[in-house]
Structures are given as C-alpha cells and as structure tokens.
Amino acid sequence: MIIFMIIGISALDMIEGRMIGEDVPMSVMHEEWMTKHDRFYKDDAEKERRLKIFKENVEHIEYVNKFGGLKYKLGINKFTDLTNEEFKAIYNGFRFSNVGLKKGTRGFRYENFTDLPASVDWRARGAVTPIKDQGQCGCCWAFSAVASVEGITKITSGKLISLSEQELVDCDTNQDQGCNGGIMDDAFEFIIKNGGLTTEANYPYKAIDSTCNNMKEASHIATISGYEDVPTNSESSLMKAVENQPVSVAIDAGGSDFQHYSSGVFTGDCGTNLDHGVAVVGYGSASDGTKYWLVRNSWGSSWGENGYIRMQRDVGDDEGLCGIAMQASYPTT
Ligand SMILES: *[C@@H]1O[C@H](CO)[C@@H](O)[C@H](O)[C@H]1NC(C)=O
C-alpha cells in the first residue's frame, strides 16, 4: 500500500497550478477536476463512487508514466471518473462488420503509387476541419466518415467545409444506428444514395438521436460518387491511400491507456477488437525514429495531442496497431 501512497502524491504534478509534490488529498484533486470539467453528481454516494474510480485511474496514469518506459504519456482528462467499461460503452460506437470486409472487392485506385513522401499532414494542406466532440453519443462512425468526406471535398473543390454528423445520426437509419453505433462504409453509401451531405452549420450536432429533418437532408453541399476499401491488413496500402486523402479507419480504442492517452507515439495496450471509428489524416516519424499514423479523434481538443493521437505505424502485425489497417476506406468523387 505504501507504493500507492507515493504514487498518489506524485500524481499532483499533473494538476494545473499546483507545485509538484504538494500534498493535497485525492478528494481535493477530484473536487478541482469536477470544477474544471463541470461535473455534478446526483448525491454523495455517487460522488464517493466516482472519487474511488478517479483515484484508481490517477494511480494507473502515474504508474504507467513513471514505470511504463513507454513512448507515450497518459494524463488526467475528462474521462478520469469513468471505469474503462463505462468509457467503452459510451464512446466507442463502431460496429465491427464482416459485411464491410467483403466490400474490399472494389478497386484500389492508389495501388500503383510509389515514392511516397516520408511524412504527410493533411492539416497543413488545409483539408481537415477543427477537432469536433461527439459527446456522450456513440456515433464515432459518423465523425470518421464526415472527416474523410470533408477531406476529399477540399481536395476536389478547393473548399474546406465542416459537414453534418447529425444528418447521418438522424437520417442514415437503415443500416446505421445513430448514437448506438454504425459503420463508415454504410455512411458513405447513405451519402451517395441521398445525393450528398449538408453542412454542420445547417444541421448542427446535438449528440442525441433525433428525427431526420428532411428539409435539411435535401441540402446537398458535399457529394461523393463512391467509396473504396483499402486492401485489408496492409499498412503499406494504407500509406498510399493517406498520401492521397484523409482515410476513415476502425480501431480498437477500448484500452484504459487509450482512454487516458495524453501525448507521444501510442504503442499499445490494445487488441484488434474494432470498436471506434476515426480518421487517419497523415503519417510521419517521431524524433526518435518511431513511425506513426496521425489520427484525428472526435473527443474534443482536450483529449490527446489537441484532439489527435499519433499511433505507431509498421508494427509488424498485418492488422496494424489496434487493427488500424483492417477496415480502412475512403470516399471518391
Ligand atoms: C497498376 O498497374 C498494373 C500493371 O501495370 C495495372 O494492371 C493496374 O490496372 C494498375 N492499377 C491501377 C489502379 O491503375
């Protein structure tokens, strides 16, 4: 138990405005965290329960940062009062699809691309909108699909337009299930059949399932004509695709290290149980040579590196880290 006391005290260096090693009880840290994140609990029993989870998470974060010897750091964030099971249930809404895997029969237009640059960042090329926040709604699949549609729209039209996830949540209900999950390829199919997708401004995000607004649905600001799946389990193919446009990917984001990722190149604590949709908007190598995918998440800009995570690339497993190369796809115009 002594070791946990020491870890608990050193955790204080992560609270803004506090001196390292300042001896503040975990309950005070939790109060400060509640204020920062506007968190309220329904009664004292719930607060006690949350404090206990918060404490366990802080101890885990400190332990991994001090003794993990990893290329990434964890940090206290807005998810720190959630157990890993709660976190997974709320935020990870990608529904693994064997049907999706079969769709890989479409062509892969980038297969003959060679001499790829050492790094790509679609943010610098102006094809990525500011980080969004899905809130407590498991529609990561909509954010992932919209990010790659925003990308191809900018590339082909020259215009970067923030597009509507809520339209997908409300109107793409034949195959996808709004806040209860979905698949990016099905979202692309909806956009094709619907004749386009409207803007974020016209059909703003509400983080809840609601009725499709048919008038807004009829506004077709961004159009795509098709989509293709990147050949499965091939990081080299994924690299060719990402060199050409932002790509939607599914990953296993269910680990507690992913929940609390703060910075650096993420190298693991994940399997290949695909449960989260995100977008790869670049790749590169860290200063120590570790290769990474630049991944845009939809958990707000306070998570990770301003809303992004760098995930290790070329890991040796065909599936890629956290299964990132298993179900990658991109829209075409
Ligand atoms: C790639 O090159 C091969 C051989 O020249 C050709 O048969 C194939 O059609 C090319 N693929 C694409 C997508 O252009």
Side-chain angles (χ1 to χ4, degrees), residues 38-76:
D38 285 325
R39 195 75 97 246
F40 300 95
Y41 302 120
K42 65 178 188 326
D43 54 30
D44 284 352
E46 175 68 1
K47 188 173 170 186
E48 273 304 303
R49 206 169 79 79
R50 291 293 152 193
L51 170 60
K52 187 166 171 286
I53 295 163
F54 180 84
K55 178 171 178 289
E56 283 166 6
N57 280 331
V58 170
E59 286 168 354
H60 172 74
I61 290 163
E62 269 296 279
Y63 187 85
V64 168
N65 286 350
K66 280 201 183 305
F67 306 113
L70 301 170
K71 295 179 191 295
Y72 60 92
K73 293 287 179 201
L74 305 182
I76 295 173

Side-chain angles (χ1 to χ4, degrees), residues 264-283:
V265 178
F266 188 71
T267 55
D269 183 24
C270 57
T272 56
N273 177 27
L274 305 178
D275 63 3
H276 190 44
V278 289
V280 179
V281 298
Y283 61 80

Side-chain angles (χ1 to χ4, degrees), residues 15-329:
I15 295 290
E16 284 163 61
R18 288 231 175 262
M19 300 287 288
I20 291 169
E22 201 177 331
D23 191 358
V24 174
M26 193 67 80
S27 58
V28 175
M29 281 176 62
H30 183 228
E31 292 273 359
E32 291 180 353
W33 178 91
M34 284 175 65
T35 305
K36 185 176 171 194
H37 296 280
D38 285 325
R39 195 75 97 246
F40 300 95
Y41 302 120
K42 65 178 188 326
D43 54 30
D44 284 352
E46 175 68 1
K47 188 173 170 186
E48 273 304 303
R49 206 169 79 79
R50 291 293 152 193
L51 170 60
K52 187 166 171 286
I53 295 163
F54 180 84
K55 178 171 178 289
E56 283 166 6
N57 280 331
V58 170
E59 286 168 354
H60 172 74
I61 290 163
E62 269 296 279
Y63 187 85
V64 168
N65 286 350
K66 280 201 183 305
F67 306 113
L70 301 170
K71 295 179 191 295
Y72 60 92
K73 293 287 179 201
L74 305 182
I76 295 173
N77 61 23
K78 61 182 173 182
F79 304 134
T80 307
D81 73 338
L82 298 176
T83 67
N84 186 240
E85 289 67 34
E86 290 170 327
F87 166 75
K88 280 191 282 201
I90 299 170
Y91 294 97
N92 296 348
F94 178 80
R95 298 284 168 255
F96 181 80
S97 155
N98 289 315
V99 179
L101 283 175
K102 282 190 215 123
K103 288 176 183 166
T105 50
R106 287 181 185 79
F108 178 49
R109 63 184 57 200
Y110 304 128
E111 67 176 328
N112 293 330
F113 276 68
T114 51
D115 296 328
L116 303 178
S119 70
V120 166
D121 186 343
W122 280 105
R123 297 174 301 186
R125 299 184 192 175
V128 184
T129 59
I131 286 289
K132 303 182 185 186
D133 189 346
Q134 69 186 74
Q136 293 200 3
C137 165
C139 65
C140 56
W141 57 275
F143 284 86
S144 168
V146 164
S148 59
V149 174
E150 289 170 345
I152 195 65
T153 303
K154 162 66 185 178
I155 291 164
T156 54
S157 77
K159 281 182 257 171
L160 180 65
I161 308 162
S162 185
L163 299 170
S164 175
E165 293 81 16
Q166 193 66 44
E167 180 179 347
L168 294 175
V169 170
D170 293 352
C171 308
D172 169 21
T173 49
N174 280 342
Q175 303 186 83
D176 292 316
Q177 285 115 45
C179 292
N180 290 317
I183 293 165
M184 288 76 84
D185 281 2
D186 290 339
F188 297 143
E189 272 179 14
F190 167 83
I191 297 168
I192 296 162
K193 279 191 199 126
N194 189 53
L197 190 66
T198 193
T199 63
E200 189 85 71
N202 184 43
Y203 203 149
Y205 187 61
K206 293 188 293 190
I208 50 162
D209 290 300
S210 50
T211 313
C212 180
N213 182 321
N214 298 111
M215 266 184 34
K216 292 182 174 182
E217 187 191 26
S219 153
H220 302 151
I221 300 297
T223 57
I224 60 172
S225 63
Y227 66 97
E228 292 171 358
D229 292 337
V230 177
T232 195
N233 296 341
S234 167
E235 284 193 275
S236 60
S237 297
L238 182 57
M239 194 170 165
K240 293 176 187 178
V242 172
E243 202 273 316
N244 283 281
Q245 63 184 99
V247 174
S248 294
V249 297
I251 57 173
D252 177 349
S256 68
D257 280 9
F258 202 98
Q259 178 179 352
H260 284 109
Y261 166 81
S262 163
S263 63
V265 178
F266 188 71
T267 55
D269 183 24
C270 57
T272 56
N273 177 27
L274 305 178
D275 63 3
H276 190 44
V278 289
V280 179
V281 298
Y283 61 80
S285 303
S287 46
D288 70 355
T290 309
K291 294 186 199 169
Y292 63 81
W293 296 110
L294 177 61
V295 174
R296 171 190 160 97
N297 202 352
S298 52
W299 295 343
S301 54
S302 68
W303 182 87
E305 294 183 327
N306 300 313
Y308 291 84
I309 178 170
R310 285 179 292 158
M311 293 177 60
Q312 191 175 15
R313 178 165 61 90
D314 290 348
V315 287
D317 295 334
D318 289 345
E319 296 86 357
L321 185 74
C322 313
I324 196 168
M326 290 171 72
Q327 283 204 36
S329 58

